[in-house]
Amino acid sequence: MRHKDEQWEKEIQKGPFASSPFTEDHKRKVLQQVEWMKKSEEGSKGDRPEDSSRSSRPFRPQVGNVSHKRRPRRGPLVAGTGALVIVAGLFLWIWDDGQLVKPVIEQVYPTAALQLSDGLSMNLLTDKMKRNVATTMRDDLGKQLKIMKVEDLPVSGRIYVEAGNESEKEYAQIWLDATTGNLREVQMRREMQPSELEHRYLRQVPSLLQSIGSTPTLKPASVQRFVSMKQGELEPISHTTLWLENETGDGYGEIVWQQDKAVSITGDLRPDQVSQAALTDARNAIEALSGKANLDLVRVSRSKDDELGKDTVFFSFKDNYFVQMTEGKEGLGYTVGDANYYEQQEIGNIEEMEAYHEKLYNIDESLLREKVGPIVKKIFNIDFDAYKLHRNAEQLGVVTFELESSTDVFQVEYREDGRIKMITRGEL
């Protein structure tokens, strides 16, 4: 027995219990009880997985505390699903780094948590299909949605499961192979309260914000999760987006995780993190575009996107002027714009719309050069005459100026009278 205790102690030292506030003896007893329940499930004949698909994911205890009403008696294990449910009646709860998440019964017997509408053709679902559906919603969406539809799709050889309502914020569609019961495609979405977001995400927020120079005290405001698995993929992939704000509502942050890894971080920069050289450059660009000098700075934010390979700083000024500076895989990008010009054009009928579109597309090139040239000269100190204009019928109100001997390209957005809304160089 002492030898077994030593094994548990070694396991505990590896984590995830390493930083737990509980005693080593308590941790060891928790793990022993969980292991005993796992063995109880393995001895069951009625709910045995057919292969090593996601339906048979191993149970991994999380960091934290366990409370229960009574200690199970040591003795012979009773085989069968019914015995497992009785054992799970101990109401052991698992903690995720201090956050209460799930009872053990859902961990070892996930189909017990399925919610089903009346009148469904549940005979279409094998035990393995039920486990895959329950496990997918539990592990990837973070919630069991009520199953509203089960349908046989004989032409494609699939079983279709629909949960939640398409018109609402929580909705899931799952396609399973009718023969093997394995997942084939998944589309799920959910909006949740910040308090419902798993602690493994929340605990990352302060350090992620600090990593881009943003205020680490921004608070979670709302959460969205999207989960997808396309034909040929092996596992569903989740994207979790957390929006943050400060107590006054004028601070902003956004973090996107793919699975458990943060792939995009956005937040307002602290004043001491704002480059004064970049700020001066942005002010000069706004003056070149608008003719207005020394406009008040409203906000500076930074966005670091590992998926796109871009690091962007955004300056927002009074009167809705902005400058965006981007460093990415394809080089540097620079945008200066006037957001006042993005209101919807009021057009009375189809004839007026066609006339307006024709005017946008056929705008005189010399008029555009007259408007754009001086701005580009002041911001980038280049002669615009050598750049050739290209029109695009699918992007009305937008043209590009390209230097044929290089990859240097400007994109210009304009109004029908030639006034410039935005100029972008590079990173198109």
mmCIF file of all heavy atoms in Angstrom, residues 348-386:
data_model
loop_
_atom_site.group_PDB
_atom_site.id
_atom_site.type_symbol
_atom_site.label_atom_id
_atom_site.label_comp_id
_atom_site.label_asym_id
_atom_site.label_seq_id
_atom_site.Cartn_x
_atom_site.Cartn_y
_atom_site.Cartn_z
ATOM 1 N N GLY A 348 -32.533 57.768 -54.270
ATOM 2 C CA GLY A 348 -33.979 57.603 -54.324
ATOM 3 C C GLY A 348 -34.462 56.391 -55.088
ATOM 4 O O GLY A 348 -35.413 55.726 -54.675
ATOM 5 N N ASN A 349 -33.856 56.058 -56.217
ATOM 6 C CA ASN A 349 -34.358 54.950 -57.035
ATOM 7 C C ASN A 349 -33.208 54.285 -57.775
ATOM 8 O O ASN A 349 -32.043 54.698 -57.658
ATOM 9 C CB ASN A 349 -35.411 55.463 -58.030
ATOM 10 C CG ASN A 349 -34.910 56.642 -58.835
ATOM 11 O OD1 ASN A 349 -33.821 56.597 -59.422
ATOM 12 N ND2 ASN A 349 -35.686 57.722 -58.863
ATOM 13 N N ILE A 350 -33.539 53.269 -58.578
ATOM 14 C CA ILE A 350 -32.526 52.477 -59.265
ATOM 15 C C ILE A 350 -31.777 53.304 -60.305
ATOM 16 O O ILE A 350 -30.575 53.113 -60.511
ATOM 17 C CB ILE A 350 -33.183 51.232 -59.930
ATOM 18 C CG1 ILE A 350 -32.116 50.304 -60.490
ATOM 19 C CG2 ILE A 350 -34.197 51.639 -60.973
ATOM 20 C CD1 ILE A 350 -31.291 49.627 -59.451
ATOM 21 N N GLU A 351 -32.479 54.236 -60.951
ATOM 22 C CA GLU A 351 -31.824 55.062 -61.955
ATOM 23 C C GLU A 351 -30.760 55.956 -61.315
ATOM 24 O O GLU A 351 -29.654 56.122 -61.848
ATOM 25 C CB GLU A 351 -32.852 55.924 -62.707
ATOM 26 C CG GLU A 351 -33.765 55.156 -63.648
ATOM 27 C CD GLU A 351 -34.886 54.441 -62.925
ATOM 28 O OE1 GLU A 351 -35.091 54.741 -61.713
ATOM 29 O OE2 GLU A 351 -35.544 53.583 -63.539
ATOM 30 N N GLU A 352 -31.094 56.532 -60.160
ATOM 31 C CA GLU A 352 -30.131 57.376 -59.464
ATOM 32 C C GLU A 352 -28.928 56.563 -58.990
ATOM 33 O O GLU A 352 -27.787 57.039 -59.030
ATOM 34 C CB GLU A 352 -30.804 58.050 -58.262
ATOM 35 C CG GLU A 352 -31.818 59.125 -58.632
ATOM 36 C CD GLU A 352 -32.415 59.782 -57.394
ATOM 37 O OE1 GLU A 352 -31.913 59.502 -56.277
ATOM 38 O OE2 GLU A 352 -33.364 60.575 -57.541
ATOM 39 N N MET A 353 -29.180 55.331 -58.555
ATOM 40 C CA MET A 353 -28.082 54.475 -58.100
ATOM 41 C C MET A 353 -27.147 54.148 -59.257
ATOM 42 O O MET A 353 -25.916 54.207 -59.107
ATOM 43 C CB MET A 353 -28.631 53.182 -57.491
ATOM 44 C CG MET A 353 -27.543 52.221 -56.998
ATOM 45 S SD MET A 353 -28.220 50.739 -56.232
ATOM 46 C CE MET A 353 -28.949 51.452 -54.748
ATOM 47 N N GLU A 354 -27.704 53.799 -60.409
ATOM 48 C CA GLU A 354 -26.879 53.478 -61.571
ATOM 49 C C GLU A 354 -26.045 54.685 -61.999
ATOM 50 O O GLU A 354 -24.862 54.551 -62.355
ATOM 51 C CB GLU A 354 -27.759 52.999 -62.727
ATOM 52 C CG GLU A 354 -28.380 51.630 -62.482
ATOM 53 C CD GLU A 354 -29.303 51.204 -63.609
ATOM 54 O OE1 GLU A 354 -29.594 52.061 -64.482
ATOM 55 O OE2 GLU A 354 -29.731 50.031 -63.627
ATOM 56 N N ALA A 355 -26.637 55.852 -61.952
ATOM 57 C CA ALA A 355 -25.918 57.070 -62.331
ATOM 58 C C ALA A 355 -24.795 57.365 -61.335
ATOM 59 O O ALA A 355 -23.690 57.767 -61.732
ATOM 60 C CB ALA A 355 -26.894 58.246 -62.400
ATOM 61 N N TYR A 356 -25.071 57.131 -60.064
ATOM 62 C CA TYR A 356 -24.060 57.367 -59.028
ATOM 63 C C TYR A 356 -22.891 56.396 -59.198
ATOM 64 O O TYR A 356 -21.723 56.791 -59.125
ATOM 65 C CB TYR A 356 -24.710 57.213 -57.659
ATOM 66 C CG TYR A 356 -23.739 57.274 -56.507
ATOM 67 C CD1 TYR A 356 -23.112 58.465 -56.152
ATOM 68 C CD2 TYR A 356 -23.459 56.128 -55.758
ATOM 69 C CE1 TYR A 356 -22.225 58.516 -55.090
ATOM 70 C CE2 TYR A 356 -22.572 56.171 -54.693
ATOM 71 C CZ TYR A 356 -21.950 57.366 -54.365
ATOM 72 O OH TYR A 356 -21.079 57.418 -53.317
ATOM 73 N N HIS A 357 -23.194 55.128 -59.437
ATOM 74 C CA HIS A 357 -22.139 54.129 -59.622
ATOM 75 C C HIS A 357 -21.291 54.428 -60.855
ATOM 76 O O HIS A 357 -20.062 54.269 -60.840
ATOM 77 C CB HIS A 357 -22.753 52.731 -59.739
ATOM 78 C CG HIS A 357 -23.274 52.205 -58.435
ATOM 79 N ND1 HIS A 357 -23.996 51.039 -58.339
ATOM 80 C CD2 HIS A 357 -23.176 52.696 -57.174
ATOM 81 C CE1 HIS A 357 -24.317 50.827 -57.072
ATOM 82 N NE2 HIS A 357 -23.837 51.817 -56.350
ATOM 83 N N GLU A 358 -21.938 54.880 -61.919
ATOM 84 C CA GLU A 358 -21.197 55.210 -63.141
ATOM 85 C C GLU A 358 -20.271 56.397 -62.905
ATOM 86 O O GLU A 358 -19.128 56.424 -63.388
ATOM 87 C CB GLU A 358 -22.174 55.529 -64.267
ATOM 88 C CG GLU A 358 -21.483 55.800 -65.593
ATOM 89 C CD GLU A 358 -22.473 56.027 -66.723
ATOM 90 O OE1 GLU A 358 -23.687 55.893 -66.481
ATOM 91 O OE2 GLU A 358 -22.027 56.341 -67.844
ATOM 92 N N LYS A 359 -20.741 57.358 -62.114
ATOM 93 C CA LYS A 359 -19.923 58.522 -61.810
ATOM 94 C C LYS A 359 -18.709 58.136 -60.973
ATOM 95 O O LYS A 359 -17.594 58.633 -61.188
ATOM 96 C CB LYS A 359 -20.767 59.558 -61.080
ATOM 97 C CG LYS A 359 -20.076 60.911 -60.902
ATOM 98 C CD LYS A 359 -21.039 61.924 -60.307
ATOM 99 C CE LYS A 359 -20.383 63.300 -60.220
ATOM 100 N NZ LYS A 359 -21.313 64.314 -59.654
ATOM 101 N N LEU A 360 -18.912 57.208 -60.025
ATOM 102 C CA LEU A 360 -17.799 56.742 -59.209
ATOM 103 C C LEU A 360 -16.758 56.041 -60.056
ATOM 104 O O LEU A 360 -15.551 56.283 -59.927
ATOM 105 C CB LEU A 360 -18.305 55.784 -58.120
ATOM 106 C CG LEU A 360 -18.893 56.389 -56.851
ATOM 107 C CD1 LEU A 360 -19.422 55.290 -55.948
ATOM 108 C CD2 LEU A 360 -17.861 57.229 -56.102
ATOM 109 N N TYR A 361 -17.226 55.151 -60.928
ATOM 110 C CA TYR A 361 -16.285 54.339 -61.711
ATOM 111 C C TYR A 361 -15.528 55.180 -62.736
ATOM 112 O O TYR A 361 -14.330 54.963 -62.968
ATOM 113 C CB TYR A 361 -17.035 53.209 -62.419
ATOM 114 C CG TYR A 361 -16.120 52.298 -63.198
ATOM 115 C CD1 TYR A 361 -15.276 51.403 -62.548
ATOM 116 C CD2 TYR A 361 -16.087 52.336 -64.594
ATOM 117 C CE1 TYR A 361 -14.426 50.576 -63.241
ATOM 118 C CE2 TYR A 361 -15.237 51.507 -65.307
ATOM 119 C CZ TYR A 361 -14.409 50.630 -64.633
ATOM 120 O OH TYR A 361 -13.568 49.815 -65.333
ATOM 121 N N ASN A 362 -16.198 56.129 -63.322
ATOM 122 C CA ASN A 362 -15.597 56.916 -64.405
ATOM 123 C C ASN A 362 -15.021 58.250 -63.928
ATOM 124 O O ASN A 362 -14.847 59.171 -64.727
ATOM 125 C CB ASN A 362 -16.642 57.182 -65.498
ATOM 126 C CG ASN A 362 -17.063 55.908 -66.199
ATOM 127 O OD1 ASN A 362 -16.223 55.081 -66.552
ATOM 128 N ND2 ASN A 362 -18.366 55.734 -66.386
ATOM 129 N N ILE A 363 -14.726 58.351 -62.659
ATOM 130 C CA ILE A 363 -14.183 59.611 -62.154
ATOM 131 C C ILE A 363 -12.906 59.981 -62.907
ATOM 132 O O ILE A 363 -12.113 59.118 -63.297
ATOM 133 C CB ILE A 363 -13.903 59.501 -60.633
ATOM 134 C CG1 ILE A 363 -13.623 60.886 -60.057
ATOM 135 C CG2 ILE A 363 -12.763 58.531 -60.345
ATOM 136 C CD1 ILE A 363 -13.654 60.917 -58.538
ATOM 137 N N ASP A 364 -12.727 61.246 -63.128
ATOM 138 C CA ASP A 364 -11.597 61.723 -63.914
ATOM 139 C C ASP A 364 -10.278 61.442 -63.183
ATOM 140 O O ASP A 364 -10.110 61.786 -62.005
ATOM 141 C CB ASP A 364 -11.750 63.232 -64.157
ATOM 142 C CG ASP A 364 -10.663 63.769 -65.075
ATOM 143 O OD1 ASP A 364 -10.685 63.436 -66.264
ATOM 144 O OD2 ASP A 364 -9.793 64.509 -64.559
ATOM 145 N N GLU A 365 -9.333 60.835 -63.890
ATOM 146 C CA GLU A 365 -8.060 60.469 -63.281
ATOM 147 C C GLU A 365 -7.274 61.692 -62.829
ATOM 148 O O GLU A 365 -6.647 61.682 -61.758
ATOM 149 C CB GLU A 365 -7.221 59.640 -64.256
ATOM 150 C CG GLU A 365 -5.871 59.237 -63.682
ATOM 151 C CD GLU A 365 -5.083 58.341 -64.628
ATOM 152 O OE1 GLU A 365 -5.671 57.795 -65.592
ATOM 153 O OE2 GLU A 365 -3.861 58.194 -64.397
ATOM 154 N N SER A 366 -7.312 62.739 -63.629
ATOM 155 C CA SER A 366 -6.555 63.938 -63.265
ATOM 156 C C SER A 366 -7.091 64.553 -61.967
ATOM 157 O O SER A 366 -6.328 65.109 -61.164
ATOM 158 C CB SER A 366 -6.611 64.967 -64.399
ATOM 159 O OG SER A 366 -7.952 65.360 -64.659
ATOM 160 N N LEU A 367 -8.420 64.450 -61.739
ATOM 161 C CA LEU A 367 -9.008 64.964 -60.509
ATOM 162 C C LEU A 367 -8.499 64.160 -59.304
ATOM 163 O O LEU A 367 -8.132 64.744 -58.265
ATOM 164 C CB LEU A 367 -10.531 64.894 -60.579
ATOM 165 C CG LEU A 367 -11.288 65.287 -59.301
ATOM 166 C CD1 LEU A 367 -10.984 66.723 -58.912
ATOM 167 C CD2 LEU A 367 -12.795 65.081 -59.491
ATOM 168 N N LEU A 368 -8.449 62.832 -59.448
ATOM 169 C CA LEU A 368 -7.940 61.999 -58.357
ATOM 170 C C LEU A 368 -6.476 62.303 -58.059
ATOM 171 O O LEU A 368 -6.079 62.425 -56.902
ATOM 172 C CB LEU A 368 -8.102 60.517 -58.703
ATOM 173 C CG LEU A 368 -9.479 59.894 -58.481
ATOM 174 C CD1 LEU A 368 -9.454 58.416 -58.852
ATOM 175 C CD2 LEU A 368 -9.933 60.058 -57.038
ATOM 176 N N ARG A 369 -5.684 62.425 -59.109
ATOM 177 C CA ARG A 369 -4.262 62.712 -58.907
ATOM 178 C C ARG A 369 -4.076 64.070 -58.234
ATOM 179 O O ARG A 369 -3.178 64.253 -57.397
ATOM 180 C CB ARG A 369 -3.510 62.669 -60.232
ATOM 181 C CG ARG A 369 -3.358 61.253 -60.801
ATOM 182 C CD ARG A 369 -2.476 61.251 -62.025
ATOM 183 N NE ARG A 369 -2.299 59.906 -62.557
ATOM 184 C CZ ARG A 369 -1.399 59.033 -62.112
ATOM 185 N NH1 ARG A 369 -0.568 59.366 -61.125
ATOM 186 N NH2 ARG A 369 -1.310 57.834 -62.655
ATOM 187 N N GLU A 370 -4.918 65.014 -58.588
ATOM 188 C CA GLU A 370 -4.843 66.346 -57.991
ATOM 189 C C GLU A 370 -5.132 66.293 -56.488
ATOM 190 O O GLU A 370 -4.526 67.020 -55.695
ATOM 191 C CB GLU A 370 -5.852 67.262 -58.685
ATOM 192 C CG GLU A 370 -5.903 68.674 -58.122
ATOM 193 C CD GLU A 370 -7.005 69.501 -58.776
ATOM 194 O OE1 GLU A 370 -7.348 69.223 -59.942
ATOM 195 O OE2 GLU A 370 -7.526 70.401 -58.095
ATOM 196 N N LYS A 371 -6.056 65.408 -56.098
ATOM 197 C CA LYS A 371 -6.426 65.280 -54.681
ATOM 198 C C LYS A 371 -5.423 64.425 -53.907
ATOM 199 O O LYS A 371 -5.062 64.742 -52.767
ATOM 200 C CB LYS A 371 -7.821 64.660 -54.552
ATOM 201 C CG LYS A 371 -8.945 65.464 -55.189
ATOM 202 C CD LYS A 371 -9.252 66.705 -54.382
ATOM 203 C CE LYS A 371 -10.484 67.416 -54.941
ATOM 204 N NZ LYS A 371 -10.828 68.643 -54.171
ATOM 205 N N VAL A 372 -4.987 63.306 -54.516
ATOM 206 C CA VAL A 372 -4.161 62.327 -53.812
ATOM 207 C C VAL A 372 -2.692 62.733 -53.773
ATOM 208 O O VAL A 372 -2.018 62.559 -52.748
ATOM 209 C CB VAL A 372 -4.298 60.936 -54.459
ATOM 210 C CG1 VAL A 372 -3.374 59.933 -53.769
ATOM 211 C CG2 VAL A 372 -5.743 60.468 -54.406
ATOM 212 N N GLY A 373 -2.184 63.265 -54.869
ATOM 213 C CA GLY A 373 -0.755 63.551 -55.003
ATOM 214 C C GLY A 373 -0.160 64.328 -53.832
ATOM 215 O O GLY A 373 0.832 63.902 -53.225
ATOM 216 N N PRO A 374 -0.739 65.481 -53.473
ATOM 217 C CA PRO A 374 -0.160 66.280 -52.381
ATOM 218 C C PRO A 374 -0.177 65.540 -51.032
ATOM 219 O O PRO A 374 0.738 65.703 -50.226
ATOM 220 C CB PRO A 374 -1.062 67.524 -52.340
ATOM 221 C CG PRO A 374 -1.642 67.617 -53.706
ATOM 222 C CD PRO A 374 -1.840 66.198 -54.155
ATOM 223 N N ILE A 375 -1.227 64.747 -50.798
ATOM 224 C CA ILE A 375 -1.309 64.005 -49.532
ATOM 225 C C ILE A 375 -0.186 62.982 -49.455
ATOM 226 O O ILE A 375 0.517 62.870 -48.437
ATOM 227 C CB ILE A 375 -2.679 63.311 -49.402
ATOM 228 C CG1 ILE A 375 -3.802 64.343 -49.446
ATOM 229 C CG2 ILE A 375 -2.747 62.496 -48.117
ATOM 230 C CD1 ILE A 375 -5.200 63.732 -49.475
ATOM 231 N N VAL A 376 -0.007 62.227 -50.531
ATOM 232 C CA VAL A 376 1.045 61.203 -50.574
ATOM 233 C C VAL A 376 2.425 61.832 -50.459
ATOM 234 O O VAL A 376 3.317 61.301 -49.797
ATOM 235 C CB VAL A 376 0.917 60.369 -51.868
ATOM 236 C CG1 VAL A 376 2.122 59.468 -52.054
ATOM 237 C CG2 VAL A 376 -0.367 59.556 -51.847
ATOM 238 N N LYS A 377 2.579 62.988 -51.080
ATOM 239 C CA LYS A 377 3.869 63.682 -51.029
ATOM 240 C C LYS A 377 4.219 64.079 -49.592
ATOM 241 O O LYS A 377 5.361 63.889 -49.137
ATOM 242 C CB LYS A 377 3.813 64.928 -51.923
ATOM 243 C CG LYS A 377 5.074 65.778 -51.913
ATOM 244 C CD LYS A 377 6.242 65.056 -52.562
ATOM 245 C CE LYS A 377 7.444 65.950 -52.669
ATOM 246 N NZ LYS A 377 8.624 65.267 -53.243
ATOM 247 N N LYS A 378 3.236 64.605 -48.854
ATOM 248 C CA LYS A 378 3.480 65.049 -47.484
ATOM 249 C C LYS A 378 3.730 63.879 -46.536
ATOM 250 O O LYS A 378 4.573 63.966 -45.638
ATOM 251 C CB LYS A 378 2.300 65.875 -46.981
ATOM 252 C CG LYS A 378 2.191 67.249 -47.616
ATOM 253 C CD LYS A 378 1.006 68.016 -47.040
ATOM 254 C CE LYS A 378 0.898 69.404 -47.690
ATOM 255 N NZ LYS A 378 -0.277 70.147 -47.129
ATOM 256 N N ILE A 379 2.981 62.787 -46.707
ATOM 257 C CA ILE A 379 3.095 61.661 -45.765
ATOM 258 C C ILE A 379 4.318 60.797 -46.065
ATOM 259 O O ILE A 379 5.092 60.461 -45.164
ATOM 260 C CB ILE A 379 1.820 60.792 -45.798
ATOM 261 C CG1 ILE A 379 0.602 61.614 -45.371
ATOM 262 C CG2 ILE A 379 1.984 59.569 -44.884
ATOM 263 C CD1 ILE A 379 -0.712 60.857 -45.474
ATOM 264 N N PHE A 380 4.498 60.456 -47.357
ATOM 265 C CA PHE A 380 5.521 59.479 -47.713
ATOM 266 C C PHE A 380 6.719 60.075 -48.456
ATOM 267 O O PHE A 380 7.688 59.375 -48.736
ATOM 268 C CB PHE A 380 4.894 58.377 -48.587
ATOM 269 C CG PHE A 380 3.735 57.676 -47.930
ATOM 270 C CD1 PHE A 380 2.441 57.937 -48.343
ATOM 271 C CD2 PHE A 380 3.938 56.776 -46.894
ATOM 272 C CE1 PHE A 380 1.360 57.301 -47.743
ATOM 273 C CE2 PHE A 380 2.872 56.126 -46.300
ATOM 274 C CZ PHE A 380 1.577 56.397 -46.716
ATOM 275 N N ASN A 381 6.607 61.368 -48.815
ATOM 276 C CA ASN A 381 7.690 62.065 -49.508
ATOM 277 C C ASN A 381 8.098 61.355 -50.805
ATOM 278 O O ASN A 381 9.274 61.097 -51.061
ATOM 279 C CB ASN A 381 8.914 62.214 -48.597
ATOM 280 C CG ASN A 381 9.920 63.203 -49.127
ATOM 281 O OD1 ASN A 381 9.556 64.142 -49.853
ATOM 282 N ND2 ASN A 381 11.188 62.998 -48.823
ATOM 283 N N ILE A 382 7.074 61.008 -51.605
ATOM 284 C CA ILE A 382 7.347 60.375 -52.899
ATOM 285 C C ILE A 382 6.597 61.127 -53.999
ATOM 286 O O ILE A 382 5.588 61.790 -53.744
ATOM 287 C CB ILE A 382 6.930 58.890 -52.929
ATOM 288 C CG1 ILE A 382 5.418 58.770 -52.733
ATOM 289 C CG2 ILE A 382 7.678 58.088 -51.892
ATOM 290 C CD1 ILE A 382 4.919 57.355 -52.955
ATOM 291 N N ASP A 383 7.104 61.004 -55.210
ATOM 292 C CA ASP A 383 6.466 61.597 -56.393
ATOM 293 C C ASP A 383 5.462 60.592 -56.936
ATOM 294 O O ASP A 383 5.809 59.477 -57.320
ATOM 295 C CB ASP A 383 7.517 61.936 -57.441
ATOM 296 C CG ASP A 383 6.923 62.699 -58.618
ATOM 297 O OD1 ASP A 383 5.680 62.854 -58.651
ATOM 298 O OD2 ASP A 383 7.687 63.107 -59.503
ATOM 299 N N PHE A 384 4.199 61.010 -56.994
ATOM 300 C CA PHE A 384 3.114 60.090 -57.363
ATOM 301 C C PHE A 384 2.934 59.959 -58.873
ATOM 302 O O PHE A 384 2.188 59.097 -59.342
ATOM 303 C CB PHE A 384 1.811 60.611 -56.730
ATOM 304 C CG PHE A 384 0.804 59.533 -56.429
ATOM 305 C CD1 PHE A 384 1.145 58.435 -55.652
ATOM 306 C CD2 PHE A 384 -0.488 59.642 -56.912
ATOM 307 C CE1 PHE A 384 0.214 57.451 -55.369
ATOM 308 C CE2 PHE A 384 -1.429 58.670 -56.628
ATOM 309 C CZ PHE A 384 -1.072 57.578 -55.848
ATOM 310 N N ASP A 385 3.616 60.770 -59.657
ATOM 311 C CA ASP A 385 3.376 60.795 -61.099
ATOM 312 C C ASP A 385 3.724 59.479 -61.788
ATOM 313 O O ASP A 385 3.117 59.122 -62.804
ATOM 314 C CB ASP A 385 4.182 61.927 -61.747
ATOM 315 C CG ASP A 385 3.678 63.300 -61.314
ATOM 316 O OD1 ASP A 385 2.514 63.379 -60.868
ATOM 317 O OD2 ASP A 385 4.456 64.277 -61.406
ATOM 318 N N ALA A 386 4.702 58.752 -61.259
ATOM 319 C CA ALA A 386 5.142 57.517 -61.906
ATOM 320 C C ALA A 386 4.206 56.336 -61.632
ATOM 321 O O ALA A 386 4.353 55.269 -62.237
ATOM 322 C CB ALA A 386 6.551 57.161 -61.440
#
